[in-house]
Structure formats: structure tokens, C-alpha cells
Amino acid sequence: ERAKKTASEKEEIKLFYKNMQVLNEVGQQITSTHDFETIFLKLRESVNRLMDAECFGVRIYHPEKNEVEVKYEYDKNIRTKPFSFSMDNDNNFSVWCIKNKKEIFINDIAAEHKKYVKEIVVVQGEMTESVLFCPMILRDKVIGVLTVQSYKKNQYTKAHLNLIRTLSSYAAIALQNARLYEGMEADIKLRTKEVIIQKEELEKSFQSVKLLSEIGQQITSCLSVEKIIETVYENVNQLMDASSFCIGIYNSTEQRLDYPMGIEKGKKLPFAFYNLTENDRLPVWSFK
């Protein structure tokens, strides 16, 4: 008897150290990446080394939508297509787990389901026999559910439940970190975009100032009004669309704006003027 007991204790110690090794590996993985998809796959791999996990999933709770999202889940080694279900479904293990902030531990679903729900409702796939559900809690708020299930009865022990409890804590932290990182990335992208726009605006402004300086140098050496207008027209078109360009000169004797020459679509316009009494003319309004 003593020999059997000693052998059993040795097996328990070996199992304990194996579990601790796996949990340590998962912890290291979580701290080394911000991608929750990678973390989920590592969690699944780890759980499969520790127990029968024909079904494994991390379900995300969205209180603002009153829904649970099934996005990270495997069933018989096949990745489940994403879907969601309502938190109003009281015959759902995930819903019960989230609302009560408690684990679900079942080894015979037909005999034990009434501890948690009135009837069994399978949201997708076939009915499993042994199930573990553990709430992912962060700062006293449930953000999701981690579940491990088997199609065979009596597959889980309290030791398995303790492991899932630890892994659900890891998953909660990892999910929150991933969300924060995604938010930071989005913010960085936005700020980077803003910086690029500001840089482009500064470059454009610098080019404009440089061009205006060149215009100034050119026209100060001109003695002809027509030459000044032509020079300014050519340069302004590099800054903006100036299909029509004119310079009006104030004639104080005649109380009008004289246009010695204008240019429209590359063609020169003849002399024109606006009397300062023509208040419906935009140049007159601008001058006044």
C-alpha cells in the first residue's frame, strides 16, 4: 500500500511540475507578443498537452452589444467560423459563466447541466459530454470566457479546473494587452499620418515662400507693367490654378481700377477698368 501511495505521489509531483512548466511557457509567450491570435494558438497547444481538449475556445464578451463573440475556437482540430450569440440566452453555459462570474465543471452533461441551465442548447456543432468554462476576469470585470470540452465523459478533475482558472487569467491579461496595443498602433498610425500631412504642408509652404521670393526678385527689376503681370502670372500658376489672372491698379484721378492687361487661359486680355462706384464688382468691393 505504501509503495502504491509513494508511486502515486511521485506521479502527482511529476504532473504538477509538468503543469507548472507549461504555465510558465504560456506566461513567457504572453509577455513576448501583443498578437492575441498567436497567444490563442499557444494557449490551445498548451491545453492539449495538459488535458483532453477536443474543443477549446476563448469567447469574447461585448457588453455594449450584449453579445458573446466566438472568434477564437477549435472543435475537433477544425477552426470554428466566427459567430456571436446574445447574452439574453439563459440556457447557454457561456452566458451563465459571465453573469455569475463562476466556473462550470461538468463530467456528465446530461446528468449535471441543470446545476447551471434548464436545458442543453448547442449553439454550434455536436453536444460534448465533459465541459469546463472559466470566466476571464480583469479588475473585477468579465471580459470573456475560456472553455475546454470533450466528447467523452469524466475527463476532467479539480486539478484541470485549477489549470484552466490560471490560463483564463493569462488570457484576460493577454486580451487586454492586445487591445491596448491595437489602440496604440491605431493612434500611432493616426499621429504618423498627421505628421506626414504637416510635413507635406510645411514643404509646400516652404516651396511657396521660395517661389514668392523668386517672383519678388524678378519683378523688382521690371520697368513694364505688362512684363510684371506676365512674370507674376507664370509663377502663380505653379502655386495654384490661375486660369484667369489680372492685376488692377488704382487710378486716383479717375477713381477707378485700371487693368492694363489681363491673361485668361494663356491669352492676353485688352485694357479694361472698373469705376469705384460699381459696388457689385468683386474687385471694387475688395479694394474698398
Side-chain angles (χ1 to χ4, degrees):
E1 280 296 321
R2 186 173 296 176
K4 288 180 180 179
K5 187 177 180 180
T6 302
S8 177
E9 287 174 347
K10 284 183 179 180
E11 286 300 316
E12 286 181 5
I13 291 170
K14 284 182 181 178
L15 182 60
F16 173 78
Y17 280 111
K18 179 185 177 182
N19 293 346
M20 290 304 101
Q21 183 183 2
V22 171
L23 290 175
N24 183 51
E25 289 174 5
V26 175
Q28 290 177 357
Q29 184 74 22
I30 285 171
T31 55
S32 65
T33 180
H34 296 105
D35 177 29
F36 192 74
E37 175 68 26
T38 302
I39 292 167
F40 163 69
L41 294 175
K42 179 62 181 177
L43 283 169
R44 176 175 177 262
E45 176 192 329
S46 301
V47 168
N48 273 290
R49 288 164 60 186
L50 300 173
M51 65 191 79
D52 181 354
E54 291 177 287
C55 296
F56 175 75
V58 175
R59 300 176 176 181
I60 313 301
Y61 174 41
H62 296 286
E64 73 284 358
K65 297 179 182 178
N66 196 42
E67 289 181 348
V68 178
E69 180 187 19
V70 181
K71 181 180 179 181
Y72 304 99
E73 192 143 338
Y74 272 89
D75 186 355
K76 294 180 178 178
N77 292 319
I78 298 173
R79 185 70 178 259
T80 302
K81 290 182 179 179
F83 69 98
S84 299
F85 53 81
S86 172
M87 281 290 294
D88 294 330
N89 184 0
D90 290 329
N91 286 316
N92 183 286
F93 288 126
S94 293
V95 171
W96 188 95
C97 186
I98 292 168
K99 286 183 176 180
N100 291 276
K101 292 185 179 181
K102 293 180 180 179
E103 298 96 350
I104 292 176
F105 179 78
I106 292 177
N107 270 316
D108 185 341
I109 199 164
E112 301 173 48
H113 72 274
K114 289 188 178 179
K115 296 177 185 176
Y116 311 99
V117 296
K118 292 180 180 178
E119 58 181 306
I120 302 167
V121 177
V122 180
V123 291
Q124 184 169 289
E126 302 172 25
M127 188 178 77
T128 50
E129 295 290 348
S130 300
V131 300
L132 295 176
F133 282 82
C134 191
M136 293 160 51
I137 300 175
L138 197 67
R139 299 187 187 93
D140 202 40
K141 289 185 178 180
V142 180
I143 64 171
V145 175
L146 191 148
T147 180
V148 179
Q149 303 177 39
S150 171
Y151 286 98
K152 298 180 284 292
K153 294 180 181 180
N154 302 312
Q155 292 302 299
Y156 304 128
T157 65
K158 292 293 182 180
H160 291 135
L161 181 61
N162 287 332
L163 284 168
I164 293 303
R165 188 181 290 125
T166 302
L167 289 174
S168 69
S169 296
Y170 283 176
I173 295 168
L175 180 61
Q176 182 70 1
N177 287 344
R179 284 173 171 174
L180 290 172
Y181 186 75
E182 285 173 7
M184 286 173 60
E185 276 197 319
D187 188 51
I188 289 169
K189 286 178 181 177
L190 178 62
R191 291 182 183 275
T192 302
K193 185 179 179 182
E194 289 173 352
V195 169
I196 290 171
I197 291 171
Q198 289 173 0
K199 180 175 177 288
E200 290 173 348
E201 288 177 351
L202 285 170
E203 287 176 350
K204 187 177 179 181
S205 177
F206 173 76
Q207 292 301 324
S208 298
V209 170
K210 183 181 177 184
L211 185 56
L212 288 172
S213 177
E214 290 173 359
I215 294 171
Q217 291 173 10
Q218 291 176 39
I219 64 176
T220 52
S221 62
C222 293
L223 299 176
S224 163
V225 173
E226 286 77 9
K227 184 62 177 175
I228 290 171
I229 293 172
E230 286 179 354
T231 301
V232 176
Y233 171 75
E234 289 171 3
N235 287 282
V236 166
N237 267 285
Q238 295 181 49
L239 298 173
M240 66 189 79
D241 182 355
S243 302
S244 179
F245 182 82
C246 300
I247 292 180
I249 301 171
Y250 173 48
N251 185 330
S252 58
T253 303
E254 300 293 336
Q255 284 298 297
R256 69 188 187 190
L257 295 176
D258 289 344
Y259 290 85
M261 185 186 76
I263 299 174
E264 191 169 276
K265 296 181 180 178
K267 294 182 179 180
K268 293 181 180 180
L269 300 175
F271 175 85
F273 66 87
Y274 293 129
N275 288 315
L276 291 181
T277 55
E278 298 179 68
N279 293 320
D280 57 343
R281 300 289 187 179
L282 291 176
V284 173
W285 182 92
S286 178
F287 174 79
K288 285 185 174 181

